[in-house]
Amino acid sequence: MASKTPSVDLVLEALGGRGRYQIFQYFACMLASFSASFQLLNIVFVGRHVAHTCKQPVNISDIYRVIDNDLFQANNSIVYFEKCNIRLEANISGNVSTSDLSCIYGYEYEEGKETSLMSDMDIVCDRSHLRGFAQTLLIVGQGIGAFSLPALSDRYGRRPVLLASHLCFLALGVGVAFAPDYTAFLVIRVFLGIVQQGIVLSKSTMSIEMFPSRHRKLSGLFGNFLWVTCTALIALIAYLMQTYSWRTTQLVYCSVSLYVFVQYFILDESLSWLITNNKTKQVTKNLKKAARISGKDYQTVLNVYKNLQKKQESEKSLTASLLGSKDQGVNGEKSDLKEKDKTKPSFLDLMKRKRLAANVFVLWFIWITDSLTVFGLFMTSHSLAGSPHLNFVLYALLEAPSALVFYFMVDRYGRKKTSMTLHGIAGIALLVATVCKSLGGGSIWSSITVTVFSCIGMFGASGAWGTSFFFTPEMFPTNLRNFGLGTSSACAGLGGMLAPFSSLLAEYVEWAPGTIFGVCCLLVTVLVNILPETMGRALPQTLDDVEAWHKKTDAKTAEEKNILP
């Protein structure tokens, strides 16, 4: 039976569990959320639709020369400058004839041409289908980043990947503001998506690794509230910048990434990563700093770390002796390689173990469902009455109460029950909203009911996704943790790419999107039972640690069955 790897939690507890150093490092890491969220969602306002009509020529008579039809003359015709065409009506002896022209003189925008990316680059009318690519290509970039960058983070450390991604994010954000045309804008958005995942995944993993298991839910709680704050500020900034060029607004949004120059000096590498990868010199240096800031005795903390090292070494020796002389090879080199493989497993090693592979596939489906549901609901926020800025804030604020539910449930009832509850709420609420919309006939009470249950659905879905962000890193050993979170996030990108098509599907089958969202959420409540419960457990360092959770669960289930008559 696999032995349990000595826990890094012992060192984290020696520093106070949630001591001043850990809290300071948490916020030093998580303040990068402003950068990651601002340029992820600011397209809602930077690329907003601006009301427009076809532009009038300096001389109206030019239109009659262009149309080249003797039926239409200045003395018998009226010219209408509509949204996407110029319409002429000629009244000839009581008979009305019409003719349409495209907007050959350009467009006239109500709020000024440069207030939005879409108006500045004329992404309207026959080019309006290009609007969706602004977000779709960023999500494609997220998928690329989610698959490629976590492996670098697991190999070279969380800090260098986070800082490099953050610096590139700043440069690319400025590049967006000076994009000469829409093609250049879209190309930059792809690279923005790639490095955005370097920020999101590295900070999420680091924040989880900063606290021992009994304080880890604080990371999830503050992470959720920080996300709510970021999304609400996006709308506030957009409201204050309404009269400015979209390029100026973009520079304001990406200016928060200047924080990377401060972050470089104050952020330390994850202690969990350093200890697992035997970076003894850096560990002792960081522990000395941490003990000083947290007001703990350095020698006491150091002794805990040294005891942890001794336990790890003794476990290695025991493993080597059990392997026997045949497996040890010449001078024990093969044994050393096997032990190294245990602490530095590959994703292929994980997929070779059936129970662990099942965990991965379930997590991927959960992330697709969460992303599809949350982004799908955001796509319908415009259907609410009132200011689009206020609507956006209201949807963002719906995530705050779900964060509180997460906080009070996750360590009391467990990760699995929290996820099941929130997915269940989302699934049932969205199915009720779909039924009311289909049977309500467009009445005012039907509209109110649909809005209420859609909001309840957003409450459940956003809380469920927050739980997934918290739960997923706990399911992977240290040297696969960021990769596991990354592949899950890439699957979320797939859901994000499908979400914009939900509004198109609704035009043909009104009840389909809500049904798909609801059924998928309810299916998650069943599938999550396959996963092991991680509540109260230290973060795993090897694949054996994760597999041991399943063995203990199976043994407990078998024991309960034997007790039954």
Side-chain angles (χ1 to χ4, degrees):
M1 183 175 178
S3 59
K4 189 181 185 306
T5 305
S7 174
V8 178
D9 277 13
L10 297 172
V11 178
L12 299 177
E13 288 287 5
L15 290 171
R18 52 179 179 183
R20 288 193 295 269
Y21 173 79
Q22 288 150 295
I23 293 173
F24 175 78
Q25 286 295 309
Y26 175 80
F27 283 104
C29 171
M30 291 298 289
L31 286 178
S33 298
F34 287 93
S35 298
S37 62
F38 277 14
Q39 295 197 63
L40 172 66
L41 296 173
N42 70 345
I43 192 65
V44 174
F45 301 107
V46 169
R48 73 185 188 279
H49 172 73
V50 178
H52 60 86
T53 58
C54 291
K55 191 175 183 178
Q56 299 184 25
V58 176
N59 190 343
I60 295 293
S61 62
D62 289 345
I63 295 176
Y64 300 104
R65 286 195 293 270
V66 172
I67 201 169
D68 194 24
N69 189 325
D70 293 338
L71 288 175
F72 298 92
Q73 302 294 329
N75 59 358
N76 69 352
S77 302
I78 301 175
V79 182
Y80 297 95
F81 294 91
E82 298 180 339
K83 183 178 179 180
C84 291
N85 63 284
I86 301 172
R87 182 165 57 89
L88 286 80
E89 287 188 359
N91 192 329
I92 304 170
S93 302
N95 295 320
V96 178
S97 298
T98 62
S99 181
D100 291 331
L101 291 172
S102 61
C103 296
I104 56 177
Y105 303 104
Y107 302 91
E108 193 75 40
Y109 295 95
E110 289 185 5
E111 300 177 34
K113 185 175 175 63
E114 294 187 352
T115 55
S116 169
L117 163 74
M118 301 305 169
S119 56
D120 188 29
M121 298 185 180
D122 290 332
I123 312 299
V124 294
C125 296
D126 58 339
R127 300 184 71 203
S128 61
H129 64 282
L130 298 174
R131 291 180 59 191
F133 284 101
Q135 193 68 5
T136 298
L137 289 180
L138 183 138
I139 294 174
V140 169
Q142 286 183 312
I144 297 171
F147 270 110
S148 58
L149 295 181
L152 298 177
S153 178
D154 287 333
R155 183 177 180 85
Y156 299 107
R158 318 316 190 190
R159 182 177 180 272
V161 173
L162 173 57
L163 293 176
S165 298
H166 202 171
L167 183 61
C168 291
F169 204 62
L170 171 62
L172 291 167
V174 174
V176 165
F178 291 99
D181 53 49
Y182 196 57
T183 301
F185 173 84
L186 293 178
V187 171
I188 296 172
R189 290 281 286 181
V190 174
F191 288 99
L192 264 178
I194 293 173
V195 296
Q196 193 259 3
Q197 286 298 282
I199 297 174
V200 171
L201 300 177
S202 295
K203 74 176 178 62
S204 298
T205 303
M206 286 186 78
S207 66
I208 288 291
E209 292 177 342
M210 282 176 189
F211 300 100
S213 56
R214 69 189 182 98
H215 295 307
R216 210 174 295 144
K217 67 177 180 179
L218 290 173
S219 171
L221 176 69
F222 286 116
N224 286 338
F225 275 118
L226 197 57
W227 174 258
V228 172
T229 303
C230 292
T231 50
L233 283 176
I234 291 172
L236 176 60
I237 292 171
Y239 178 78
L240 296 175
M241 300 292 292
Q242 286 182 88
T243 58
Y244 291 85
S245 162
W246 73 270
R247 297 180 188 273
T248 304
T249 305
Q250 169 65 21
L251 288 173
V252 171
Y253 280 123
C254 73
S255 65
V256 297
S257 295
L258 290 169
Y259 168 66
V260 67
F261 297 109
V262 177
Q263 194 175 41
Y264 175 82
F265 292 101
I266 64 175
L267 183 65
D268 295 334
E269 181 57 86
S270 163
L271 278 172
S272 180
W273 185 88
L274 291 172
I275 293 173
T276 301
N277 289 277
N278 298 316
K279 307 292 183 181
T280 305
K281 184 177 179 181
Q282 190 62 46
V283 170
T284 53
K285 180 181 176 182
N286 286 8
L287 287 179
K288 188 173 184 179
K289 175 183 176 181
R292 175 174 54 81
I293 294 175
S294 296
K296 301 296 180 180
D297 180 62
Y298 169 63
Q299 195 58 49
T300 301
V301 176
L302 186 62
N303 288 339
V304 173
Y305 169 58
K306 288 181 176 179
N307 289 335
L308 178 62
Q309 277 188 310
K310 290 178 182 178
K311 289 179 181 178
Q312 290 175 331
E313 289 299 326
S314 64
E315 187 179 76
K316 287 181 182 180
S317 300
L318 178 61
T319 303
S321 63
L322 290 174
L323 287 172
S325 58
K326 182 179 178 180
D327 289 337
Q328 289 178 21
V330 180
N331 296 324
E333 289 179 4
K334 187 178 287 188
S335 174
D336 291 341
L337 288 173
K338 288 192 175 187
E339 188 58 39
K340 183 179 179 181
D341 289 341
K342 277 192 172 186
T343 58
K344 294 188 177 181
S346 68
F347 192 68
L348 184 61
D349 293 329
L350 186 151
M351 298 303 289
K352 288 178 180 177
R353 308 190 187 200
K354 293 181 180 179
R355 292 296 296 268
L356 304 191
N359 292 350
V360 173
F361 290 123
V362 169
L363 288 171
W364 285 353
F365 180 77
I366 291 174
W367 277 73
I368 292 173
T369 297
D370 292 345
S371 175
L372 177 64
T373 305
V374 171
F375 282 124
L377 290 172
F378 260 117
M379 295 296 175
T380 63
S381 63
H382 63 275
S383 63
L384 299 176
S387 165
H389 300 90
L390 180 60
N391 294 342
F392 192 90
V393 171
L394 288 175
Y395 261 125
L397 293 179
L398 282 170
E399 300 184 40
S402 66
L404 289 174
V405 170
F406 159 83
Y407 179 79
F408 288 111
M409 284 190 67
V410 74
D411 272 349
R412 179 172 295 182
Y413 302 106
R415 281 62 161 152
K416 291 170 63 173
K417 288 184 179 179
T418 302
S419 180
M420 291 170 62
T421 300
L422 291 169
H423 280 107
I425 290 172
I428 293 171
L430 293 174
L431 289 176
V432 171
T434 301
V435 171
C436 291
K437 191 171 186 177
S438 299
L439 303 180
S443 66
I444 185 170
W445 290 110
S446 170
S447 298
I448 292 173
T449 304
V450 169
T451 300
V452 169
F453 278 99
S454 294
C455 287
I456 296 173
M458 174 61 89
F459 160 83
S462 61
W465 201 0
T467 304
S468 299
F469 248 110
F470 181 79
F471 190 21
T472 301
E474 296 182 324
M475 298 291 300
F476 294 90
T478 302
N479 283 313
L480 281 177
R481 188 165 298 130
N482 216 31
F483 188 78
L485 183 60
T487 55
S488 300
S489 183
C491 292
L494 176 61
M497 285 188 282
L498 293 174
F501 295 99
S502 61
S503 57
L504 180 63
L505 177 61
E507 293 179 10
Y508 297 95
V509 187
E510 188 179 52
W511 50 266
T515 302
I516 293 171
F517 299 159
V519 169
C520 285
C521 286
L522 292 179
L523 184 57
V524 168
T525 64
V526 177
L527 292 178
V528 78
N529 285 291
I530 295 174
L531 304 175
E533 179 57 67
T534 62
M535 180 179 67
R537 287 171 167 162
L539 291 175
Q541 292 178 256
T542 67
L543 292 174
D544 288 341
D545 292 345
V546 183
E547 202 161 41
W549 294 348
H550 281 295
K551 291 179 179 179
K552 288 180 181 178
T553 302
D554 293 344
K556 184 177 179 181
T557 303
E559 184 180 343
E560 290 174 350
K561 286 182 178 180
N562 290 333
I563 294 175
L564 293 175

